Amino acid sequence: MMDHATSVPVCVFLLLLPSSLVALDNRDFKHDFEYHHEGSGERFRVKGHGRLADIVIVDDIPQITKILCEGNVVLIATTDVTISATWRPSQVIVGGPDWGCSSEVDGRVQHGLYRKIKSVNQGKRTVEIMTENAGLYDSFETAQLHVHHTPGNWSSREERENDIKSRQKREASTDSDVGSRLWPLLLSYGDESLFTIPFNYDTSKDKEVLQFSVSSQGVEIKAGGFTAGFAPQHDAKKTWELGCTSCYAFFRAGFTMELNIGPDNTRFLLQLSGEFKFNTDVGLSWSRERNLGNKTFTLAKKELKIPSIPILYFPNPLVPTMELGIDLLAELLVQVGAKVEGKMLATAGFDYNKKLTVTFKKENNGPFTMFTGLTDEPWTGHTPTFSMQAKFSANAALVPKITLTPTISFGWKVRFVGSNLYLFSLNFGAPVAFSLNAGITFEVAYDSAQRTFCLDLYHQGDIAIEANKVTSDIVVFGETVASSNILKYKKKLSISLWPRTSFTCTALVKCCVVACVGLPKLPQLSMDQTVGAMKKKFTRADVNFQSLKQMKGTDVLFVAEEKTASYCGVPSRKCKDCTRGVIGWTTDDKCADRMMTGDLLEKLEVLSKFVRITWPKRKLRVEEAWDEPTSAYPNGRHGASSVHYEGRAADLTVTSEMTADQLKNTPKDAPASDKSSAIMVRLAQLARCSDLPFVGQKSDYVEVAVKKSATSPVKRTRFDRQIKRATDIQLGYCVSISKLQLGKSNPSTGTPEFVCGEINDRITRYDPQAFLRLYQYPFNDVEFENKRRNDAWCGATSRECIDCRTKIQGESAYDRCADRMMTPRLAYRMRRLGSLVTQKWVDRKLKVIGAWDEPTSSSTNQWGSYGAQSLHYEGRAAQVSLTGSSPNSLMGDLSQLAVCAGFDYVRYTTNNYIDVFVQQESHTKGIVVPFLKANLLAVDPPPHSINYGYPENLRTELFKTLLFDGSHRSQLKLSDNFVLGEFKHPEARYLRLDDKLVACLQNIRTALGKSLKIVKGSAYRPRSENIVDIDERHPEEIDRFQSGQAAEIQMATGTSGPKEITNLGQEAMKQCASMLSVTRRGLGIGIHADRLYIDIRPNTIAEQALYIRVWDTVNSSTNASVMNDLLVTKDQLERGGPEINPVDPEAACEEPVLGKENYHINIPMPNARSDCASETSSDFCKQTQTYRETVLERIKKHFQKKTGDKVVRSSTFVSALTTCLKDACGHCLGSGPTWEKKVKSCVKMLNYHRTSGAWNNITEKMSFFNLDSPKSSVRALACKDYVCLEKTDLYGLFARILSEKYRPSKNSSVEELVYGPGDNPLPIMDLAEQTFAISASGIARVFIEKDSDVSALWKVLKILFVYNKEIADVEFHLTADVNKNKLVETIQRKSEVWAGTGCPKWSRAAITPFKMVEISKGRLKRALPEHESIPRSFQHHLHQWELDWIHKT
């Protein structure tokens, strides 16, 4: 609820009150003005009287020189303080804005002085006034004001002008100050009422101005109009289109304002009343399956301003007119949305008027309250049409929206400054938006029970009223609601419907058409070729005749047996009249045309429903079914051989239209057939939709036939083996299970629907796709009560009930017994329970009271004998008891056995029986998919639904995800950090899910150590949700949401910017790619601005172990860096060795000794020695001080010569160089502060050199060999064609530094090294070699002369294999002396060690790939020795200084 200070427009209107009156002689006002135009009904009335309060107006007091406002204190400087002698508490003091004061008036700050006096204190030259906020009514002593306007109907401009002018002239002499100002205003509106707003409406023609269409290509205005209305058609360029041939609206509004102020009561009321007139005729087309969501398009926007209306006028010139003003913003929007499973065309329309009122009210000091009202005016629906190839729901709406900003101005003259007039006025107003969302909605759904597409067509919408600054409550129809109020309405239309099949459904709310999408072609083969030729003519005396079924009821009409024949069957049998129904069940009484096989009867029952749906006033008529000899046709009507004689064929027509009485009470004589061509064509179509194997269209009837009925059970090879083994269960398994008490269940919490999942759809006998999924229990180890065997009918009025207590009666849908029908999962557990029962009680059996259920003549409801949502209707529930005497006391024991048998939910319901239930399961497969923390049971997609189907583009893939029931399982943990609900779409019950996707995301979460979230609704998406905006998605992100193999992820906390997206992508590759490679699967990664797309996909590159596909959906400069980083990681993983995944991440990722930027450096740092702990300047360091300074200056000049002044002017470089070569002097190696200082400064100096670009041109040519080998035979190969470290200026420079000598004694010729290993070891060459290695890129070539070189180069190799992310390959060049296999084994062993100890934060994603190149003898011989820029005598010293020092010490 909003604070009272921010008030509503209404509140605003009230602040109309005057606030600048000085001592007024006349404070009274009185008005009475009325205008009523009889022709149009327009009415305008202003009536009011009252008295203003005594107000102090400081602007008209010349003695006042200055005013200061500070909080509630008003300080007035004046030349005469006596002016305040008459001022008293409760008076309102008013001043203009030029005093610099502001006031809060009912929560709105006004520039000017408007306060109520609390006390007055006079000084010598000032008057101090304590004030408080002035309220709504403080400017009036009393007031009664009524303003009312009612808009009229349309009238001619001339008629209205003449009426206004004549009245204005007649009332010119009256004292109506308001009226004198209103006449010109009324006249200026011309032929439109005061508040009439058209939306695409031509008032003179009462029709639309423009016609338009919106589509996937945008908005298109049809300037020339549609020539013959918008005929929707499929356009390959447009996924969808909505065309509007006649869409317009206008809004006409009036208002009433009342203000009553008295000594004890105050009341304010503002009521806006309006009427919408609306018309729309639209056409919709969808060219392919899509889910559009809801799109809104703005067609037009226009700002309107109604001139201010005077509502209060004071004769006193100090008080100007109070005026009401309204600004309007009129917008015309169109909304369209659809969820379409195939092509669709539709048209519809409606027109109506709708009236609404909005009332703002305030009484005394209470809050403003808003009331709304809405009238239910009649709606007229225009004739719709639709054509579809699948289910769809679509809506189209035209939305006129009006934003009103009402203001009331009240001001007065304050003073003159030169020639300028300043007015202080109070303006109060806040926008109020009225929007009418009115549209037509098509909902076409598949009714599996009726096998029809049924259309619900209705008009629905809402009227939204939004007050931006509403104070306090809004009350709608007596109930308090939020400040943004929406009045919703929904009204189904009475319609006439013509689908493409010329089907008419008049004056019905719901219309259905038969689901004849994708009709098969009429057969090219004969009846015998299609269903099999007749083998034997059945006669009444044959046993085969007893297998035929007699169709009951009157839903299908039959003609009387041969009326002109003297006998039927045999000469001794008279022909029967079975027009009104079955006349008997004896062999003699059975009527020939009502006799047929169960399969044919079942399909004719379906066809009869289709006929009633298609032609509500007609019925299916059977002309002939089973045929026998008659006196007219002694050999039968159908020749020597026809499947009619086996009851497998029928000749069909449709009756002519019947009266309501004939439909209810079948006449004695069947109505005549309608054998018109159109009827026969449609009947043939419906017959094909009824799954009749053969349909032949003749000129005056349709011939249908079925194949022979199945005599053996449907083969479920795997399940048949399983259920036979179900009896292996032993009673001893059940000992530890507790018996249930009466009213208790297992599990103890939840309902059967919660535990096992709600019913998806009721299975009927006439839906073969679903019905044949059920299993007919064939064994006699369980007894079936079959209590409805004696009912008049079962399943349908045409079907007799079957006694299946002792055995099944057949495998056709007709012959199957309801109580024996159940899902395979229920049947398997039923057999286990039956086995346990016989083990426990040798004289008892398990008894099934009821399983799958269907309606019968004794049913308690239209579905059967259980509640509407019972699991019995899916064959997933059964009521069971025991045979024998007094079973009631044993129900607790039976519940124990039922739990042991594996039912998913067991309930001890009554002493007479227990209820058992099972979950859904994938047909007969019983596949359980293990996830990290839970197992999920696979289920089949719901029949007739493509929503949970597998994506067409992925159906050829070897691995396919399964479907699971996610009902009530949102919190089921699938892994340590993810639950099922995060993967299931919020709008779907079921989900497909790849267990590897869950494992992948869990691995990423664990590696990051931070909370990771799946973007809501971004994992599994059913087909209807996956096609939402599918055209706008990246091609790689189309299908795998629907297969449950994709998800979008973000960091759960903070932002997911480029850095976070990069980290997520890199971890996804590292944690998932190798895991997936085991099953020959790969990883897809899509980069988004704030999230990362991940999917699991097949590895399509046979020779590649890891398969990763990366793409960028944004293509921005920001994402370019992310893309580049991920591609580098991808390349490393796909082409490299083992992933770098440390066994102990915490130890591997400890802070490097030399800092994170030097993670690759490996330098000896042994434990501190006692003689190095407090190392001070030695005699050696003092003696060599000048030498080291000389070396330093020489090095500086060298760098200046090579690189210019830039390097030597860098304080960072010079400082590091100075410390490295001069200041850090000491004998300790790997210990002590001097050594640490020396290493860090040398590293810093080398890094500066590297980053300065000195080696930029040689990074892709760098080569490496064992520099410790003075007579290396590969040196020439490494340094001639490529660039080795020895070939660089830096190496030569450092070599000379390390060879620098000094004389300890002037009197001696003995020289010693300035940077000798014993006195002042310098790690510069070791660090240079490692820096050289981290600088390389592309292919790094390593020359190996002998096996021991690998050990000498291990620091370089570790950098090339683990840390250098720019290396594509390491290429080893081997002499003949090297054992290639041993070298490969060594490198692989080292790689595995490095992969398990490296830190992924700084390393590559995977070990760099390598290959071996053997150096031929000829190539080695041709390599000439390089010019030795450095004496060989120094080689040993330069690279073995640590070893030399160790030997010395």
Side-chain angles (χ1 to χ4, degrees):
M1 189 175 294
M2 303 176 70
D3 185 72
H4 292 354
T6 57
S7 58
V8 110
V10 185
C11 169
V12 167
F13 296 0
L14 288 182
L15 278 183
L16 29 99
L17 318 169
S19 38
S20 62
L21 306 181
V22 76
L24 300 178
D25 296 330
N26 182 8
R27 293 186 284 135
D28 297 321
F29 63 89
K30 184 176 182 179
H31 304 301
D32 191 356
F33 168 82
E34 182 175 10
Y35 166 68
H36 178 213
H37 183 226
E38 294 181 358
S40 66
E42 182 180 6
R43 183 183 297 272
F44 202 102
R45 179 76 184 272
V46 178
K47 184 177 181 180
H49 61 86
R51 181 176 176 83
L52 291 173
D54 187 9
I55 298 173
V56 176
I57 303 176
V58 297
D59 302 84
D60 289 317
I61 304 176
Q63 292 90 339
I64 296 176
T65 58
K66 191 174 183 180
I67 298 177
L68 178 64
C69 298
E70 188 68 35
N72 291 328
V73 178
V74 176
L75 189 63
I76 299 176
T78 177
T79 57
D80 182 4
V81 296
T82 61
I83 60 171
S84 63
T86 59
W87 299 355
R88 63 185 185 279
S90 297
Q91 274 187 296
V92 174
I93 183 169
V94 176
D98 55 323
W99 295 112
C101 295
S102 61
S103 303
E104 183 178 312
V105 185
D106 285 318
R108 297 175 65 88
V109 176
Q110 303 288 344
H111 295 293
L113 178 61
Y114 183 76
R115 306 276 184 86
K116 186 188 292 186
I117 298 174
K118 292 180 68 176
S119 64
V120 180
N121 297 308
Q122 293 183 2
K124 291 184 178 180
R125 296 185 179 178
T126 60
V127 178
E128 184 183 71
I129 306 173
M130 297 299 296
T131 68
E132 60 184 344
N133 291 339
L136 203 58
Y137 311 120
D138 292 323
S139 290
F140 293 93
E141 283 185 6
T142 62
Q144 288 189 357
L145 180 63
H146 177 87
V147 182
H148 176 76
H149 173 256
T150 301
N153 298 321
W154 300 115
S155 61
S156 70
R157 178 186 183 94
E158 182 179 358
E159 177 190 350
R160 192 168 177 276
E161 281 187 2
N162 291 338
D163 182 67
I164 292 173
K165 288 178 180 179
S166 64
R167 295 195 187 197
Q168 181 181 9
K169 186 175 181 180
R170 283 200 310 271
E171 297 181 14
S173 59
T174 63
D175 186 18
S176 177
D177 300 304
V178 171
S180 64
R181 287 161 175 77
L182 276 172
W183 287 120
L185 186 63
L186 290 171
L187 189 61
S188 68
Y189 286 108
D191 61 350
E192 292 191 9
S193 297
L194 197 59
F195 290 95
T196 299
I197 305 157
F199 295 90
N200 194 36
Y201 183 66
D202 186 334
T203 58
S204 63
K205 298 179 181 179
D206 194 23
K207 63 176 293 185
E208 73 283 344
V209 177
L210 294 173
Q211 294 169 322
F212 59 87
S213 72
V214 293
S215 70
S216 53
Q217 303 295 313
V219 179
E220 181 181 358
I221 302 297
K222 307 291 185 180
F226 297 104
T227 56
F230 175 77
Q233 58 185 350
H234 298 305
D235 186 340
K237 296 180 180 179
K238 298 176 181 177
T239 305
W240 61 271
E241 183 173 20
L242 178 148
C244 208
T245 52
S246 182
C247 295
Y248 62 83
F250 70 79
F251 176 70
R252 185 163 53 228
F255 70 91
T256 299
M257 189 185 81
E258 293 181 359
L259 175 64
N260 293 303
I261 300 174
D264 301 318
N265 182 52
T266 58
R267 181 175 183 270
F268 172 80
L269 180 142
L270 176 69
Q271 184 177 81
L272 298 176
S273 58
E275 177 185 11
F276 277 102
K277 181 179 180 181
F278 197 97
N279 185 87
T280 180
D281 284 288
V282 298
L284 288 169
S285 72
W286 253 256
S287 60
R288 57 185 180 274
E289 180 187 17
R290 283 294 180 270
N291 186 339
L292 183 64
N294 277 301
K295 298 283 187 182
T296 301
F297 298 85
T298 300
L299 298 176
K301 182 184 291 188
K302 186 177 182 181
E303 293 184 1
L304 305 171
K305 186 175 182 66
I306 295 178
S308 297
I309 304 166
I311 56 177
L312 187 61
Y313 179 78
F314 292 92
N316 193 309
L318 294 176
V319 184
T321 303
M322 183 184 296
E323 295 180 336
L324 170 66
I326 298 182
D327 293 336
L328 299 125
L329 175 63
E331 299 173 89
L332 184 59
L333 314 173
V334 64
Q335 293 179 344
V336 60
K339 185 182 290 185
V340 180
E341 292 186 1
K343 290 186 176 182
M344 180 272 285
L345 301 173
T347 65
F350 57 89
D351 60 78
Y352 68 97
N353 291 343
K354 179 71 78 173
K355 294 180 180 178
L356 66 98
T357 59
V358 184
T359 305
F360 301 97
K361 187 172 72 172
K362 177 178 173 66
E363 293 196 41
N364 299 322
N365 294 321
F368 275 97
T369 307
M370 185 174 78
F371 294 84
T372 58
L374 190 66
T375 61
D376 191 11
E377 300 296 322
W379 307 77
T380 303
H382 304 171
T383 300
T385 65
F386 79 97
S387 167
M388 77 291 178
Q389 295 181 359
K391 292 186 293 184
F392 73 85
S393 63
N395 60 274
L398 199 67
V399 186
K401 183 177 182 179
I402 305 164
T403 303
L404 300 169
T405 307
T407 61
I408 289 186
S409 300
F410 186 82
W412 49 93
K413 182 175 70 175
V414 288
R415 72 167 134 180
F416 289 98
V417 178
S419 60
N420 296 323
L421 177 66
Y422 285 78
L423 293 177
F424 172 51
S425 61
L426 299 177
N427 294 304
F428 304 95
V432 181
F434 299 83
S435 62
L436 173 62
N437 181 331
I440 196 80
T441 297
F442 302 82
E443 286 188 356
V444 174
Y446 182 75
D447 185 334
S448 62
Q450 300 296 329
R451 296 175 65 187
T452 55
F453 283 119
C454 293
L455 169 70
D456 271 323
L457 178 64
Y458 51 86
H459 169 74
Q460 71 172 2
D462 56 65
I463 293 182
I465 305 162
E466 301 176 43
N468 290 353
K469 303 208 173 187
V470 171
T471 305
S472 189
D473 299 335
I474 300 177
V475 180
V476 181
F477 306 129
E479 295 184 6
T480 301
V481 298
S483 60
S484 178
N485 178 42
I486 296 182
L487 305 178
K488 295 195 173 188
Y489 57 87
K490 177 175 178 179
K491 184 177 181 66
K492 290 193 176 182
L493 301 179
S494 179
I495 62 173
S496 296
L497 178 67
W498 284 271
R500 58 182 175 182
T501 56
S502 300
F503 166 71
T504 304
C505 175
T506 306
L508 293 179
V509 167
K510 186 171 186 175
C511 297
C512 299
V513 292
V514 178
C516 282
V517 175
L519 287 174
K521 294 182 179 180
L522 284 170
Q524 301 299 314
L525 302 175
S526 68
M527 180 188 294
D528 287 352
Q529 289 173 321
T530 304
V531 300
M534 180 197 82
K535 289 189 176 182
K536 180 183 178 182
K537 283 186 178 182
F538 293 177
T539 67
R540 291 179 187 270
D542 289 339
V543 67
N544 293 316
F545 179 76
Q546 303 305 319
S547 68
L548 298 182
K549 315 300 179 185
Q550 185 173 205
M551 180 175 268
K552 299 164 60 86
T554 58
D555 288 341
V556 178
L557 297 185
F558 295 83
V559 297
E561 289 187 329
E562 311 289 344
K563 289 184 178 181
T564 60
S566 60
Y567 72 86
C568 290
V570 294
S572 61
R573 180 182 179 274
K574 292 183 179 181
C575 298
K576 309 288 185 179
D577 184 358
C578 56
T579 303
R580 291 188 171 184
V582 171
I583 59 174
W585 292 95
T586 66
T587 300
D588 186 67
D589 286 338
K590 290 180 179 179
C591 182
D593 287 334
R594 286 183 178 267
M595 301 304 294
M596 59 194 74
T597 65
D599 282 345
L600 182 57
L601 188 151
E602 170 216 343
K603 288 177 169 49
L604 291 187
E605 172 63 29
V606 174
L607 179 57
S608 72
K609 290 182 179 181
F610 289 172
V611 168
R612 292 197 302 272
I613 289 168
T614 306
W615 300 290
K617 295 182 180 180
R618 302 173 188 263
K619 286 188 177 183
L620 179 66
R621 175 172 152 148
V622 176
E623 304 293 333
E624 285 280 340
W626 174 69
D627 194 16
E628 63 181 342
T630 68
S631 58
Y633 299 96
N635 294 319
R637 184 185 289 266
H638 294 87
S641 177
S642 172
V643 295
H644 285 80
Y645 301 125
E646 292 181 336
R648 293 195 287 126
D651 301 335
L652 309 174
T653 61
V654 174
T655 68
S656 57
E657 289 197 354
M658 303 169 66
T659 65
D661 182 64
Q662 288 177 319
L663 290 169
K664 184 178 180 180
N665 303 302
T666 303
K668 182 177 180 181
D669 295 322
S673 299
D674 185 341
K675 300 179 180 180
S676 62
S677 176
I679 293 291
M680 290 300 102
V681 169
R682 182 56 177 161
L683 180 59
Q685 290 176 339
L686 297 179
R688 283 180 282 155
C689 290
S690 304
D691 299 320
L692 281 154
F694 175 83
V695 179
Q697 184 182 330
K698 305 296 184 179
S699 61
D700 57 351
Y701 70 94
V702 172
E703 193 175 41
V704 299
V706 298
K707 297 179 181 180
K708 290 185 177 181
S709 300
T711 57
S712 59
V714 177
K715 289 186 178 180
R716 297 178 170 95
T717 307
R718 180 180 174 185
F719 180 71
D720 290 338
R721 290 197 302 266
Q722 289 177 342
I723 199 167
K724 287 179 180 177
R725 294 196 301 267
T727 56
D728 294 343
I729 188 171
Q730 299 298 312
L731 187 61
Y733 298 162
C734 309
V735 175
S736 61
I737 298 174
S738 300
K739 300 177 183 179
L740 294 180
Q741 300 299 313
L742 180 62
K744 300 299 182 181
S745 65
N746 185 309
S748 59
T749 59
T751 63
E753 292 76 19
F754 183 88
V755 175
C756 300
E758 292 96 342
I759 183 173
N760 185 72
D761 202 359
R762 285 181 289 276
I763 295 175
T764 71
R765 193 179 296 272
Y766 303 102
D767 182 3
Q769 182 180 342
F771 189 65
L772 290 176
R773 288 184 179 182
L774 298 181
Y775 180 79
Q776 185 174 209
Y777 196 89
F779 307 105
N780 60 6
D781 56 352
V782 174
E783 184 176 296
F784 290 87
E785 189 174 79
N786 195 205
K787 59 186 177 182
R788 296 183 183 86
R789 62 187 180 277
N790 295 320
D791 282 3
W793 56 266
C794 290
T797 57
S798 62
R799 181 180 179 273
E800 61 181 309
C801 299
I802 294 174
D803 186 355
C804 61
R805 287 176 295 174
T806 58
K807 64 178 182 178
I808 62 174
Q809 298 299 319
E811 285 296 328
S812 70
Y814 181 93
D815 290 329
R816 293 189 176 197
C817 179
D819 287 338
R820 285 181 177 267
M821 301 304 295
M822 57 192 74
T823 63
R825 184 175 180 85
L826 184 64
Y828 181 82
R829 283 148 183 78
M830 194 72 73
R831 186 145 167 79
R832 286 165 62 96
L833 180 57
S835 177
L836 291 171
V837 167
T838 56
Q839 291 179 54
K840 188 172 181 67
W841 299 288
V842 294
D843 58 343
R844 295 181 185 272
K845 280 186 177 183
L846 179 67
K847 180 171 69 175
V848 176
I849 300 172
W852 175 74
D853 197 29
E854 63 182 340
T856 71
S857 58
S858 64
S859 294
T860 56
N861 58 56
Q862 61 180 313
W863 305 289
S865 299
Y866 301 95
Q869 299 302 314
S870 172
L871 299 184
H872 284 271
Y873 300 121
E874 277 189 338
R876 294 196 287 124
Q879 290 179 341
V880 296
S881 185
L882 296 169
T883 62
S885 60
S886 305
N888 295 2
S889 61
L890 303 176
M891 290 302 102
D893 297 87
L894 183 59
S895 69
Q896 177 191 36
L897 299 184
V899 174
C900 184
F903 292 98
D904 298 308
Y905 190 93
V906 178
R907 182 173 61 203
Y908 184 172
T909 309
T910 74
N911 284 325
N912 298 321
Y913 61 83
I914 67 171
D915 286 302
V916 294
F917 306 86
V918 294
Q919 300 176 37
Q920 292 187 44
E921 187 175 71
S922 181
H923 205 11
T924 60
K925 297 176 183 177
I927 299 175
V928 175
V929 178
F931 288 79
L932 295 175
K933 289 288 185 179
N935 296 331
L936 294 181
L937 182 65
V939 301
D940 283 327
H944 314 294
S945 173
I946 64 172
N947 202 30
Y948 295 104
Y950 212 75
E952 289 86 346
N953 295 333
L954 307 183
R955 288 180 182 175
T956 58
E957 293 182 356
L958 183 63
F959 183 89
K960 297 183 182 67
T961 54
L962 300 175
L963 189 71
F964 308 107
D965 187 356
S967 178
H968 305 298
R969 293 181 142 196
S970 293
Q971 297 307 311
L972 179 67
K973 289 191 72 171
L974 299 180
S975 69
D976 288 336
N977 299 102
F978 294 101
V979 296
L980 184 143
E982 294 177 87
F983 296 92
K984 185 176 78 71
H985 194 278
E987 300 297 324
R989 170 177 175 172
Y990 301 94
L991 75 157
R992 293 183 183 274
L993 186 58
D994 196 320
D995 60 306
K996 292 295 188 291
L997 177 64
V998 178
C1000 173
L1001 296 183
Q1002 183 59 54
N1003 288 350
I1004 298 171
R1005 166 68 177 81
T1006 302
L1008 288 172
K1010 298 177 182 179
S1011 186
L1012 184 71
K1013 74 174 181 181
I1014 300 171
V1015 177
K1016 187 175 180 180
S1018 77
Y1020 172 72
R1021 300 176 187 176
R1023 186 186 184 104
S1024 59
E1025 297 300 327
N1026 190 48
I1027 57 177
V1028 175
D1029 299 330
I1030 196 170
D1031 297 324
E1032 301 172 13
R1033 299 210 299 266
H1034 191 280
E1036 294 282 356
E1037 300 178 12
I1038 299 298
D1039 295 310
R1040 299 202 181 272
F1041 290 118
Q1042 190 180 339
S1043 65
Q1045 296 174 302
E1048 293 175 345
I1049 58 175
Q1050 294 174 322
M1051 301 306 299
T1053 57
T1055 60
S1056 290
K1059 180 180 178 182
E1060 289 75 20
I1061 299 301
T1062 301
N1063 290 340
L1064 285 174
Q1066 289 174 335
E1067 286 302 330
M1069 294 186 214
K1070 294 176 184 178
Q1071 304 302 324
C1072 306
S1074 61
M1075 173 191 72
L1076 295 170
S1077 66
V1078 176
T1079 54
R1080 293 298 302 164
R1081 301 169 76 191
L1083 184 69
I1085 294 179
I1087 305 168
H1088 293 252
D1090 62 343
R1091 64 190 64 187
L1092 191 77
Y1093 167 95
I1094 289 180
D1095 73 34
I1096 311 299
R1097 54 181 56 206
N1099 184 345
T1100 57
I1101 304 178
E1103 67 276 8
Q1104 186 168 298
L1106 296 185
Y1107 177 71
I1108 303 171
R1109 175 91 168 83
V1110 184
W1111 60 90
D1112 184 4
T1113 65
V1114 182
N1115 296 318
S1116 66
S1117 57
T1118 303
N1119 272 31
S1121 62
V1122 178
M1123 182 70 174
N1124 182 66
D1125 290 342
L1126 294 189
L1127 288 177
V1128 169
T1129 303
K1130 169 184 178 295
D1131 183 68
Q1132 292 174 6
L1133 287 169
E1134 287 183 343
R1135 300 179 63 255
E1139 295 175 32
I1140 296 177
N1141 193 5
V1143 176
D1144 185 350
E1146 186 175 348
C1149 295
E1150 285 182 353
E1151 184 79 14
V1153 176
L1154 298 177
K1156 295 179 182 179
E1157 67 278 6
N1158 298 308
Y1159 55 84
H1160 58 284
I1161 296 294
N1162 190 303
I1163 196 75
M1165 287 289 214
N1167 295 328
R1169 287 167 31 200
S1170 58
D1171 60 330
C1172 296
S1174 56
E1175 186 178 29
T1176 58
S1177 297
S1178 63
D1179 291 339
F1180 171 82
C1181 293
K1182 292 177 181 177
Q1183 291 175 356
T1184 59
Q1185 174 74 22
T1186 56
Y1187 292 92
R1188 298 198 309 276
E1189 290 175 352
T1190 301
V1191 169
L1192 176 62
E1193 292 304 317
R1194 191 163 65 245
I1195 296 301
K1196 284 182 181 180
K1197 289 180 180 179
H1198 173 84
F1199 275 111
Q1200 187 173 22
K1201 180 180 179 182
K1202 292 292 183 181
T1203 63
D1205 293 337
K1206 180 180 178 182
V1207 173
V1208 295
R1209 287 182 178 178
S1210 168
S1211 58
T1212 302
F1213 176 78
V1214 172
S1215 175
L1217 187 64
T1218 301
T1219 304
C1220 175
L1221 299 180
K1222 182 175 77 73
D1223 296 343
C1225 177
H1227 71 280
C1228 290
L1229 170 66
S1231 187
T1234 301
W1235 173 257
E1236 182 178 355
K1237 187 185 299 182
K1238 188 183 299 184
V1239 170
K1240 288 182 177 180
S1241 60
C1242 291
V1243 167
K1244 186 179 293 185
M1245 180 266 296
L1246 286 168
N1247 283 341
Y1248 190 91
H1249 177 270
R1250 178 169 69 94
T1251 57
S1252 68
W1255 289 338
N1256 283 357
N1257 297 328
I1258 63 171
T1259 57
E1260 295 184 357
K1261 301 177 182 179
M1262 290 179 172
S1263 63
F1264 304 86
F1265 69 99
N1266 182 9
L1267 295 173
D1268 298 339
S1269 178
K1271 296 181 179 180
S1272 175
S1273 61
V1274 296
R1275 178 176 179 273
L1277 290 173
C1279 300
K1280 181 179 180 182
D1281 297 329
Y1282 308 104
V1283 179
C1284 63
L1285 180 61
E1286 278 190 5
K1287 205 171 181 179
T1288 65
D1289 290 337
L1290 190 68
Y1291 183 90
L1293 181 64
F1294 290 162
R1296 289 176 176 79
I1297 291 174
L1298 292 176
S1299 64
E1300 190 70 32
K1301 294 181 179 180
Y1302 81 105
R1303 290 183 179 181
S1305 172
K1306 295 180 179 179
N1307 300 324
S1308 173
S1309 61
V1310 177
E1311 292 183 326
E1312 294 185 11
L1313 294 171
V1314 176
Y1315 300 100
D1319 298 315
N1320 188 22
L1322 189 65
I1324 194 72
M1325 200 58 76
D1326 189 12
L1327 294 173
E1329 193 171 20
Q1330 294 183 60
T1331 303
F1332 195 66
I1334 200 66
S1335 303
S1337 64
I1339 298 175
R1341 296 162 182 87
V1342 181
F1343 290 81
I1344 304 296
E1345 182 182 20
K1346 50 190 176 182
D1347 293 339
S1348 60
D1349 285 353
V1350 175
S1351 297
L1353 289 168
W1354 76 269
K1355 292 181 183 180
V1356 169
L1357 292 179
K1358 186 172 184 180
I1359 291 173
L1360 297 179
F1361 276 97
V1362 179
Y1363 295 117
N1364 191 330
K1365 300 177 183 180
E1366 304 301 321
I1367 297 295
D1369 284 288
V1370 175
E1371 192 175 84
F1372 287 96
H1373 293 253
L1374 317 179
T1375 65
D1377 296 333
V1378 178
N1379 186 327
K1380 179 181 177 182
N1381 293 333
K1382 182 179 179 181
L1383 177 60
V1384 171
E1385 182 181 342
T1386 300
I1387 296 300
Q1388 289 178 339
R1389 188 169 57 251
K1390 284 185 175 292
S1391 295
E1392 291 171 1
V1393 173
W1394 290 337
T1397 56
C1399 177
K1401 290 196 295 186
W1402 305 307
S1403 71
R1404 299 167 54 91
I1407 297 297
T1408 307
F1410 67 92
K1411 59 183 177 181
M1412 302 292 176
V1413 177
E1414 295 181 1
I1415 303 173
S1416 65
K1417 292 183 179 179
R1419 178 186 171 198
L1420 193 62
K1421 187 178 293 185
R1422 287 193 300 272
L1424 298 175
E1426 288 281 305
H1427 170 69
E1428 293 188 3
S1429 58
I1430 303 169
R1432 283 292 178 183
S1433 59
F1434 293 111
Q1435 293 294 316
H1436 181 78
H1437 161 69
L1438 295 178
H1439 299 285
Q1440 289 290 330
W1441 53 272
E1442 299 108 319
L1443 186 60
D1444 289 347
W1445 179 83
I1446 290 171
H1447 288 165
K1448 282 189 177 184
T1449 57

